[in-house]
Amino acid sequence: MNSSQQSLLRKLPGVDHVLELWKKSQIAEDIPRVVLVRSIQSALEQLRKRILAEDKALDEAMFSEGQLLHLTQLAVDKAMSYNLKRVVNATGVVIHTNLGRSLLPESVARHVAEITNRYSNLEFDLEKGQRGSRYSCIEGILCEISGAEAAIVVNNNAGAVFLSLETLANGKEVIVSRGELVEIGGSFRIPDVMARSSAKLVEVGTTNRTHLPDYERAIGAETGLLLKAHTSNYKIIGFTAEVSLRELVELAARYRLPVMEDLGSGNFIDLSKYGLMKEPTVQETVSAGVDVVTFSGDKMLGGPQAGIILGKKDIIERIKKNPINRALRIDKMTLSALEATLHLYRDESLAISTIPTLRMLTMPVKEILSKARRLRNRLRKMGNNRMEVVLTKSSSRVGGGALPLQELSTRCVGIRIKGMSANGIEAIMRKTTPPIIGRIENDLFVMDMRTVQDEEIDIISSIFKKILAEE
Ligand SMILES: *Cc1c(COP(=O)(O)O)cnc(C)c1O
């Protein structure tokens, strides 16, 4: 350490000194003392590190009252803001697991707020005046929409699959096609879940082709269940064959075995009417005679995180009584959000227009283009000659491990700023308030307008205005 470093370190004020400055300035009134002290410590620690690193830009002026208050204020702002915050999803991935999957419809968010800051009849039967079932509020509507006999909801679909396997196949063999041994993100793999639920996996067929006799040959005294898993995030194409759910149900009936399907995403509306690829709906799966079907609440359904289990009455009863069910149980936030979301499904056009996930998935290119033009015009009006704003054509993705081959034609607003790389712009946008998460395409920072909400056009423009002003 040289002498100027030593002298700077000696002059670095102590925590108490800065605390006094804050008290005098009277801006600290509503900041909790622990936060203030920690922020001051962190500001002083930054200065200390810069001295030790021989930061040439650092001199005694940095210890001025104004600078010390400024540095502390930055640390206070950081400490006082929530870590979980809203972001603008300009990635074009509609069901973006990293960005919170589905947005709740307005009416749903209102209902959640109404239920969660008040008491409710969560487990109270208002008719009888006694303890009621937590699931009674959604079982009826789930059965109404899907045609299933009974329903239960748990924390997420991974939990739903686990609980169903643990109940139905505990210790017994479960037959699955080799083409369906799916791994979805976050270490959820069918074979591993199976092992943990103490079911014994029996693989049949090959990766690309599995036939009905493959299943039949594998059935024996130890068989407990036939399982079909939706290959959500991959497709086997070319020379392929799979056994339909209906055929599997017929086979299982002959041997008095149950059939379960993990639908993964699961939707109540056939979106092929709106130009998307055909996927089996929950209603079709139920009417094929499946004993149990599981799917997520926050993928194509567009509701809260949840794992929905539908099926035959006796089987759902057994699942409800499984003690593990208690460990996977959902709270009133999920229940209120799910019930309100399901209500929207009683009217298909209402569902498509009010559930953000469905609205974004079925949004006509014309509408996306008009949003893109509005943002482009706003940004061009700023008249910054270092910034170039263009419209580009691209593809959005469904996300959530659903419809991996689906191309969704879209329009983006691309940004180029002189003297800055696309990666540089991307990094800056990630740190604004709120952060704007875009993507990089052909060396251009692009914002896919399919997933940018109408009111976010204003937010994005004012953020660019601020950034360009600071430059
Ligand atoms: C997404 C998915 C799951 C897990 O669902 P979560 O709700 O994320 O727990 C399980 N199986 C399949 C086939 C999936 O696509």
Side-chain angles (χ1 to χ4, degrees), residues 29-302:
E29 271 164 13
D30 49 4
I31 300 166
R33 197 186 143 87
V34 278
V35 172
L36 188 55
V37 170
R38 206 151 20 89
S39 301
I40 293 171
Q41 283 166 341
S42 130
L44 293 175
E45 185 54 29
Q46 277 172 42
L47 288 173
R48 229 174 75 83
K49 279 202 183 121
R50 286 173 62 186
I51 296 171
L52 293 174
E54 289 189 73
D55 185 338
K56 294 281 182 284
L58 195 73
D59 55 30
E60 275 177 52
M62 288 302 286
F63 305 157
S64 73
E65 180 173 334
Q67 276 301 328
L68 289 170
L69 289 180
H70 174 68
L71 280 178
T72 313
Q73 182 72 55
L74 292 179
V76 166
D77 289 347
K78 192 154 182 272
M80 297 293 278
S81 71
Y82 291 119
N83 289 320
L84 184 59
K85 51 187 149 200
R86 77 165 290 182
V87 305
V88 172
N89 176 7
T91 65
V93 181
V94 177
I95 307 168
H96 199 308
T97 297
N98 301 152
L99 303 184
R101 282 199 184 157
S102 284
L103 319 184
L104 295 181
E106 279 302 320
S107 63
V108 174
R110 273 199 306 275
H111 183 54
V112 174
E114 161 139 357
I115 290 300
T116 48
N117 62 2
R118 294 173 176 97
Y119 289 111
S120 63
N121 61 338
L122 179 66
E123 284 186 0
F124 185 68
D125 186 329
L126 292 169
E127 293 289 325
K128 297 189 182 130
Q130 62 194 37
R131 187 179 200 281
S133 154
R134 173 174 293 251
Y135 307 100
S136 59
C137 68
I138 38 160
E139 186 160 17
I141 187 145
L142 274 170
C143 295
E144 173 195 318
I145 299 172
S146 67
E149 289 176 12
I152 177 165
V153 180
V154 293
N155 181 55
N156 57 11
N157 188 36
V161 173
F162 176 76
L163 179 64
S164 305
L165 284 175
E166 219 273 342
T167 311
L168 293 178
N170 193 358
K172 292 218 175 129
E173 293 177 356
V174 177
I175 304 176
V176 193
S177 160
R178 288 198 169 87
E180 297 173 2
L181 295 173
V182 50
E183 170 182 320
I184 58 159
S187 75
F188 179 94
R189 293 169 149 192
I190 287 287
D192 298 349
V193 174
M194 197 88 83
R196 286 300 173 107
S197 68
S198 72
K200 293 194 195 80
L201 171 66
V202 176
E203 302 173 25
V204 296
T206 61
T207 304
N208 56 329
R209 290 172 72 82
T210 302
H211 308 279
L212 197 61
D214 293 327
Y215 285 94
E216 186 154 15
R217 270 196 300 275
I219 294 176
E222 286 306 303
T223 307
L225 178 73
L226 306 188
L227 174 70
K228 231 179 134 50
H230 192 289
T231 63
S232 308
N233 48 11
Y234 68 99
K235 269 270 182 296
I236 297 172
I237 52 170
F239 187 53
T240 64
E242 68 170 309
V243 177
S244 74
L245 181 61
R246 231 168 247 285
E247 292 173 284
L248 216 53
V249 166
E250 272 167 30
L251 173 68
R254 278 195 270 131
Y255 291 89
R256 298 182 172 280
L257 289 168
V259 177
M260 165 174 159
E261 170 143 29
D262 171 14
L263 257 190
S265 193
N267 40 305
F268 292 118
I269 296 175
D270 178 3
L271 292 175
S272 65
K273 281 186 267 180
Y274 302 88
L276 275 79
M277 288 170 175
K278 172 73 189 144
E279 281 284 306
T281 62
V282 174
Q283 296 91 315
E284 286 162 358
T285 306
V286 168
S287 76
V290 78
D291 293 276
V292 186
V293 53
T294 70
F295 51 98
S296 290
D298 56 354
K299 290 185 180 172
M300 300 278 260
L301 193 71

Side-chain angles (χ1 to χ4, degrees), residues 296-313:
S296 290
D298 56 354
K299 290 185 180 172
M300 300 278 260
L301 193 71
Q305 177 188 305
I308 299 167
I309 310 175
L310 306 177
K312 304 271 167 70
K313 209 170 181 73

Side-chain angles (χ1 to χ4, degrees), residues 299-421:
K299 290 185 180 172
M300 300 278 260
L301 193 71
Q305 177 188 305
I308 299 167
I309 310 175
L310 306 177
K312 304 271 167 70
K313 209 170 181 73
D314 55 327
I315 287 184
I316 298 295
E317 271 322 304
R318 279 167 61 199
I319 293 176
K320 281 182 185 168
K321 289 199 185 106
N322 188 330
I324 292 170
N325 179 25
R326 178 62 171 79
L328 297 171
R329 104 177 170 183
I330 49 174
D331 77 328
K332 56 181 180 276
M333 285 189 259
T334 305
L335 272 167
S336 52
L338 190 59
E339 185 186 10
T341 306
L342 292 170
H343 268 237
L344 299 169
Y345 275 97
R346 286 174 160 164
D347 175 345
E348 182 174 314
S349 63
L350 184 68
I352 295 281
S353 62
T354 56
I355 297 174
T357 300
L358 296 181
R359 190 156 40 81
M360 288 187 269
L361 286 175
T362 58
M363 188 174 282
V365 176
K366 223 172 59 193
E367 195 178 329
I368 303 173
L369 177 63
S370 112
K371 281 199 280 184
R373 283 197 178 124
R374 255 190 296 150
L375 179 59
R376 178 200 57 188
N377 295 347
R378 289 281 188 84
L379 295 178
R380 281 192 179 161
K381 247 197 235 144
M382 287 172 201
N384 188 289
N385 52 16
R386 287 184 51 214
M387 181 165 81
E388 187 191 342
V389 189
V390 293
L391 291 190
T392 67
K393 288 184 183 175
S394 186
S395 278
S396 315
R397 294 217 320 273
V398 175
L403 298 173
L405 299 183
Q406 179 76 53
E407 297 262 343
L408 294 169
S409 179
T410 193
R411 298 293 181 272
C412 306
V413 174
I415 305 284
R416 220 175 256 121
I417 298 177
K418 238 182 232 127
M420 215 186 266
S421 66

